[in-house]
Structures are given as C-alpha cells and as structure tokens.
Amino acid sequence: MLSTSDAKLVKRYYLLPKAAWYSLAALFLTGGLAILLVMIDNIGLGSKGFGGLQLIAMAALMIAEGAVCIACGVVARRGLGSAHWQELEHEAIGGNANIGTNPAVAGGIGVAAAGRLVDTPDNDDLDALSAGLEIAGAAMSAYGFFDTMRRMSRAAAAVARAHGMELPGLGRTRLLVIGLPLLLLTLSFVPRFIDSTAQSSASQEVSADTIQAFNAALEPVCSYTLADDPLEHRQDSGYRVSGNITDEDGDIVASVSVETDECGAVDSVVYNADVDIARTPEENLAFVEECFARFYEAISSVDVKAERIELLDTGLVNAPVLPDQFRQAFLTGDYYTAIDTDLDDTSTLRAWALFDTEPKEEFDEYTSPRISIHLMARRS
C-alpha cells in the first residue's frame, strides 16, 4: 500500500510527462491559431499584419508553453530517475521501466542542423532540400519527445495499477495546458476584430460615396456605366466605376475608369478610345480627344472637396491631354507601331499616353488598337 506522499508522487509523475507533451502540442497549435486569426483579420476584415497586443500575447503564450514543456519534462525525467522512485517502481513491478530519451530527439536535431548547413540563397534546389530537412528534423524530434514522455507516464501508470490506485483524469490538464492558451490568444484578438470591423465598415461607406459620386457624373455622358458596390462586397483590391460609349452596334468604342483603393481614396483614372484604321489619323485623333474631353468634363464636375473624396494625387483629376510628341508620332506614323509617351513621372504620380496596337503581320480582325491616357498614383 502506497503512503499518501508516494501516492501523490505517482500522480505527479503520471501527469508531468502528459503536461510536457500537451505543452509542446499547444506550442504548435498556438502558432497555427495565430496564423488563422491573422488571416481572418487581414482577409476577412481588411487589416494589415499583426496588432501590437496580439503579437505580445502570442509571443508570451508560446514562450510560456515552451518553458512549461521543458520544465515538466526535466522535472519528470529527474524524478523518475531518482533512487526513491527506482525503489518504489522495483517494489511495484519487479523492475525499472526504460525512460531514456528516444534517439529520435537527437537525430531530429541533427537532421535539422544539417538542413541549416545546406541552406543557401543562391540555389533553389538546396533551399528546398534545406527546408525539407528542417521539417523532417522537427517532426523526428517531436515524435522522439512524445515517445519519451509517453514511456515516462506509462512507468508511473504501471506503479499505480500495481497498487490498485486510481489515476487522475486528463481532461483538466488538457484544458489548462492546451485550451487556456488558445482561449487567451483568441480573446486577445477580439478588440482588434472589433476595431477592424468598424474601420472596414467606415472604409466601405467612404468607397461607396466616392464610387457613387463619379458614377452619377458619368451616367449622363455615357451609353452606360458599371460600378462596384462596396457596401455589398468588400474588396482588398479596391473599387472601380467605368463609363462606356458605344457605337450603333452596341460595341464599346471609348471608356473611362476611376479606381479607388480599399479605403475609398482615388488611385487611378484611365481614359481609352478605339482607333479605326479605316479613318485617317487626324479623324482618329479628333475622335479620341472628343471622347476624352467628354469624360473629363463629367469627372471634373465632381466637387471633390464637397464630396470629401480623397485623391492619392491631385494630378489624377488633370485634363487628359495628348502631348505634341505623341500627336506628331501618331500623325506621321502608321497603325501598326505602338507609341508610349510619359506625361508625368514624379514620386507620387505616374502618367503616360499609349497607342496600343500590333505589328502589321500580326494585325487581324480581332486586334483592337486604342489610344489611352493612364493617370496612376504611386503608392508609398
């Protein structure tokens, strides 16, 4: 019959290896949950990266889990190797269990170290080999640690069974070692989720107002318009409204698009007009400039200040004027040579005029030559 102190010792050495293994599992689960929560925050709610509180919580929990894993494993290993336990175990089962460290632990560390040694930034094959070795090493070490802790726990369980002693349940240990850190990490993300939701909603409303303002301005001068609805569907890539002019067959012959970022700030304006090779260059230029002027009149009618529309660069609402260099190249050239001319290239704005076409030998009925002016804000 075990004394009270020995019974507590058996329970202790039964639970400590379990706690060590659960802590190691919790370490990986915490990292995985953190990635999942960040993905929800970034993809679902439109935030960027980790929040300060969340990063601190994740780091603190993972450090604590690692410390608990090491501490429980070391205490269990030393306790099960003590003379008193050896005597207690021998009396109960007539011998001593093998609680030595599984060789897979050292082997895994060696494999991972080999992976680090072959790592090189200049060779993709070696990089792949390095990553594979490191993953394999981590898996080997984790298995070796699990097997070692399992044998330690079984050694204590064998002593308990020999004395008819009831072992404690593991539910509370699992909840404390695995469930509690995951719960705390999830709770640390709640304030960020609330803030991200509020910011996302505000950004969608701003984007909707901006898109609606330009859509209302373009509708009277276009055959039809197409506009995203930010309130219906949030898009990390931003939102777009386009106005289109069609010919008598309903084909688009000219268009303009205004795009915003995910926060509703205008970041690009693009003007397009088709070139008809059956017309003279002068006729095509006149048509292009007429369409661009028509679009610009509509866009410039939007009161940016009154509508509280943010422009990433004020040059985005400049008049779309084809420079003389471009005009001369188009008038004296042919319909099979592309032209690309910079209009503005600053730290905050990139603007260029483009005649997009195909070489004569590739030009066919499916080719759609067009003249465009692109106004795009540079992102910092």
Side-chain angles (χ1 to χ4, degrees):
M1 184 69 181
L2 290 173
S3 65
T4 302
S5 60
D6 286 342
K8 289 181 178 179
L9 202 63
V10 171
K11 291 181 180 179
R12 182 185 184 191
Y13 293 148
Y14 171 72
L15 290 176
L16 280 176
K18 297 285 188 183
W21 168 242
Y22 292 159
S23 295
L24 181 61
L27 187 65
F28 290 104
L29 290 174
T30 299
L33 179 61
I35 293 173
L36 176 61
L37 293 172
V38 169
M39 289 176 63
I40 293 172
D41 188 41
N42 289 189
I43 299 174
L45 301 176
S47 294
K48 304 294 183 184
F50 264 105
L53 172 63
Q54 293 71 39
L55 187 60
I56 292 172
M58 183 194 72
L61 288 170
M62 294 184 75
I63 290 172
E65 288 161 347
V68 169
C69 175
I70 294 172
C72 289
V74 169
V75 171
R77 180 72 178 81
R78 295 181 65 179
L80 291 172
S82 67
H84 178 66
W85 178 262
Q86 296 288 317
E87 180 182 349
L88 193 66
E89 189 177 35
H90 192 274
E91 291 176 357
I93 60 176
N96 298 115
N98 176 22
I99 57 171
T101 302
N102 190 307
V105 174
I109 294 173
V111 170
R116 295 297 299 168
L117 287 175
V118 300
D119 186 19
T120 172
D122 302 323
N123 190 309
D124 292 339
D125 292 334
L126 287 180
D127 283 346
L129 175 61
S130 172
L133 288 174
E134 289 183 34
I135 293 173
M140 286 177 61
S141 295
Y143 168 75
F145 182 80
F146 165 72
D147 181 67
T148 302
M149 294 300 106
R150 179 181 59 180
R151 285 186 285 108
M152 288 183 182
S153 186
R154 285 180 175 177
V159 173
R161 284 194 297 270
H163 289 281
M165 175 183 164
E166 184 178 353
L167 290 170
L170 298 173
R172 183 177 298 179
T173 303
R174 292 193 189 103
L175 183 63
L176 180 64
V177 178
I178 298 178
L180 182 59
L182 299 182
L183 176 62
L184 292 175
L185 180 63
T186 302
L187 290 176
S188 74
F189 272 82
V190 171
R192 184 168 177 84
F193 285 165
I194 294 173
D195 183 57
S196 297
T197 301
Q199 290 186 16
S200 177
S201 178
S203 296
Q204 286 177 269
E205 291 179 4
V206 171
S207 300
D209 291 342
T210 300
I211 293 296
Q212 179 56 37
F214 284 107
N215 186 62
L218 288 169
E219 278 184 333
V221 302
C222 296
S223 303
Y224 67 91
T225 62
L226 295 172
D228 292 332
D229 185 355
L231 297 179
E232 181 179 334
H233 180 62
R234 190 188 66 80
Q235 298 178 175
D236 289 335
S237 57
Y239 307 95
R240 183 174 186 266
V241 56
S242 64
N244 304 284
I245 296 175
T246 60
D247 59 16
E248 59 274 9
D249 296 323
D251 296 326
I252 297 174
V253 293
S255 65
V256 63
S257 65
V258 179
E259 296 187 4
T260 74
D261 61 15
E262 70 277 11
C263 296
V266 178
D267 59 10
S268 73
V269 180
V270 180
Y271 299 84
N272 295 293
D274 286 354
V275 169
D276 186 348
I277 62 173
R279 297 174 182 166
T280 65
E282 290 80 5
E283 289 174 333
N284 276 308
L285 270 183
F287 172 74
V288 168
E289 291 175 333
E290 178 189 352
C291 291
F292 286 3
R294 185 171 167 183
F295 290 140
Y296 177 69
E297 183 180 2
I299 289 176
S300 61
S301 69
V302 177
D303 192 334
V304 173
K305 290 185 178 180
E307 298 285 350
R308 296 182 179 179
I309 294 174
E310 180 184 356
L311 303 173
L312 292 186
D313 190 280
T314 55
L316 292 169
V317 290
N318 286 347
V321 178
L322 294 171
D324 290 338
Q325 178 185 354
F326 182 95
R327 291 171 56 84
Q328 288 302 317
F330 183 79
L331 291 172
T332 59
D334 55 49
Y335 289 134
Y336 312 107
T337 303
I339 304 171
D340 190 348
T341 304
D342 283 337
L343 303 179
D344 197 352
D345 192 358
T346 65
S347 60
T348 58
L349 180 70
R350 170 85 198 285
W352 69 98
L354 175 68
F355 171 47
D356 186 25
T357 186
E358 291 183 353
K360 189 171 184 178
E361 59 273 14
E362 299 177 13
F363 200 99
D364 56 28
E365 59 183 312
Y366 301 107
T367 303
S368 300
R370 64 176 54 190
I371 291 176
S372 307
I373 288 182
H374 297 256
L375 306 172
M376 303 188 72
R378 292 185 183 274
R379 294 184 178 274
S380 56

